Amino acid sequence: MTLHYPKRIALVTNWYPPKTGVAVNRMKAFARYLSEDFEIHVFCEGAENKIEVVNERLIVHYFESKNFLDKLKSNPKDGKLLHNGKTLLRIVASKIWTDPLKKWKENTLKGLKKEHSKKPFQLVISSFSPKEPHEIVLLFKTEFPEVKWIADMRDEMYLNQNIHGKQKVVLQKLEEKISKKVDAILSVSLPIVDAFEENYPNIQYFEEIRNGFDFDRKEEKHVSTKSADTIKIGYFGTFYGGRKPEQFFTALLNVQDNYPKLKIEVHLVGTHKNFEIPSKLHDNVIMHAPKPYLDAIDYMKTMDANLLVEPISVRKGIFTGKIFDYLAVQKPIIAIVDSTDVAADLTKEFNAGYVASFDNPKEQISILKSFIDDWSDGKVKAATDSQIDTLHRKESVNKLGLLIHKMIEQ
């Protein structure tokens, strides 16, 4: 009898538990669901150098970095002044200390090569950002060109509109080097994938691997939260850059007087206090500490609607990770976004909420009124179960698994 051993895949990322965040959830899903079909070795950053054997098909290699910038990470408990101070210090420190992950990069490359020498990897995946995972695999691929390479960009690299100056130049040069050695590029949406394909037609494979929700809905029961006199609107995550709640607060101020017997509560979960709450809304806006993923999902279910805020970008293809969780809990979405981009398209396609353009205050007021009127009439906009099933992270990772089989068996 012939024994068939699973192919060995390396995943190099700076984002993996016990870290938290959207990027961590993506990498955790890659490792978890790919390990059902492959032997997965994750190479990531940790507090100490160690190896954790999750099971016989999933091994995690942690390498410490002693990154000074970690001490300057924002905390939702920080006030606006402290948050802005940390942000400024991170910007200054990043200009002075241009390679804070140098030690981690060196140690991870050594660990990757050592594990490869024991038993070769057929394929390696690196995930941006930061840039170091791609740099590690670029060096590895130079020495081992026979190993297939998938670069998970997630979003844009140098074309990201929030990147400027020297950083943009550095990323453009790195992207061009990657394009000469990589076999496949992934991103979270088709517009971003198409942009990479247009720039680098020499690369063999391009694939959209969306994010998604990652909890079990088999035992899901519809959570009724309706109160006679209170609407609860939830927002889960952070505000940064141009993504701020001021537009929503302004719209709320404009509509609340039309509903004098109704209290509208806004629950902000895991949000940094880097914005101003209008004085008339102080009693309506409730700040909550960050919650673990499944706890956050449970809290989303108790909301009457969940809020999505995303400023308009020059580039198209911006899905915020929380949209998939919002859809999966089947509560209406109040989407203040680019009304011509993918988040708006998905919300409309699934008839799952109310969409207004980020730069159109009148539309924002209008959708809030529409939501409140529908809520009062007992109407609930929500995606269907069959629509939601297509958005599970496992579905996206299965798509990635098919690509990996194609690449290593050709």
Side-chain angles (χ1 to χ4, degrees), residues 45-65:
E45 184 184 2
E48 58 180 318
N49 296 328
K50 67 175 183 178
I51 297 176
E52 178 183 344
V53 179
V54 180
N55 57 57
E56 63 180 5
R57 287 195 177 185
L58 178 54
I59 298 93
V60 183
H61 305 256
Y62 290 97
F63 299 93
E64 62 181 343
S65 69

Side-chain angles (χ1 to χ4, degrees), residues 330-355:
Q330 290 181 298
K331 294 301 178 74
I333 297 172
I334 297 172
I336 298 176
V337 296
D338 182 342
S339 59
T340 65
D341 205 358
V342 289
D345 291 344
L346 187 60
T347 304
K348 293 173 184 176
E349 178 189 348
F350 284 14
N351 191 31
Y354 308 81
V355 176

Side-chain angles (χ1 to χ4, degrees), residues 109-124:
L109 178 59
K110 288 179 183 177
L112 178 63
K113 290 165 66 173
K114 181 179 179 181
E115 193 62 37
H116 182 69
S117 69
K118 295 177 183 177
K119 185 180 177 183
F121 292 110
Q122 280 75 41
L123 183 142
V124 60

Side-chain angles (χ1 to χ4, degrees), residues 68-88:
F68 170 73
L69 295 181
D70 286 343
K71 301 181 184 299
L72 297 177
K73 286 182 178 178
S74 297
N75 187 309
K77 295 181 180 180
D78 295 342
K80 184 177 181 180
L81 185 62
L82 180 57
H83 173 84
N84 291 340
K86 284 185 175 180
T87 300
L88 179 60

Side-chain angles (χ1 to χ4, degrees), residues 191-360:
I192 300 177
V193 170
D194 290 344
F196 277 115
E197 187 167 7
E198 182 178 348
N199 285 345
Y200 306 110
N202 59 297
I203 297 173
Q204 189 170 6
Y205 300 103
F206 296 87
E207 197 74 73
E208 177 199 44
I209 303 296
R210 289 181 177 180
N211 290 318
F213 73 95
D214 201 12
F215 59 92
D216 188 359
R217 299 184 69 253
K218 290 181 180 178
E219 304 300 324
E220 191 71 13
K221 303 292 184 184
H222 180 70
V223 180
S224 177
T225 61
K226 188 169 182 180
S227 165
D229 60 0
T230 304
I231 286 180
K232 294 189 291 184
I233 299 174
Y235 180 87
F236 295 77
T238 57
F239 292 111
Y240 58 88
R243 183 194 292 174
K244 294 289 172 64
E246 278 85 356
Q247 295 92 338
F248 173 71
F249 289 154
T250 300
L252 187 55
L253 285 170
N254 273 276
V255 304
Q256 66 175 5
D257 290 341
N258 296 330
Y259 306 91
K261 295 182 179 180
L262 186 63
K263 182 178 181 181
I264 304 174
E265 294 180 353
V266 181
H267 293 259
L268 306 178
V269 181
T271 307
H272 304 305
K273 185 67 182 301
N274 57 349
F275 53 87
E276 296 293 338
I277 300 172
S279 58
K280 289 185 178 181
L281 293 179
H282 277 174
D283 293 337
N284 301 70
V285 179
I286 300 124
M287 306 283 291
H288 300 269
K291 295 178 181 291
Y293 179 69
L294 293 179
D295 291 345
I297 295 300
D298 286 340
Y299 202 58
M300 280 180 202
K301 298 172 190 175
T302 71
M303 298 292 111
D304 296 296
N306 289 301
L307 175 65
L308 193 66
V309 178
E310 186 63 44
I312 295 173
S313 170
V314 175
R315 310 290 298 181
K316 300 296 182 183
I318 298 176
F319 280 124
T320 57
K322 65 178 70 66
I323 191 174
F324 301 103
D325 296 323
Y326 284 180
L327 289 165
V329 300
Q330 290 181 298
K331 294 301 178 74
I333 297 172
I334 297 172
I336 298 176
V337 296
D338 182 342
S339 59
T340 65
D341 205 358
V342 289
D345 291 344
L346 187 60
T347 304
K348 293 173 184 176
E349 178 189 348
F350 284 14
N351 191 31
Y354 308 81
V355 176
S357 181
F358 185 86
D359 61 356
N360 193 322

Side-chain angles (χ1 to χ4, degrees), residues 7 15 20 89 96 214 269 338 368:
K7 302 295 185 183
W15 294 103
T20 58
L89 284 173
I96 298 172
D214 201 12
V269 181
D338 182 342
L368 263 180

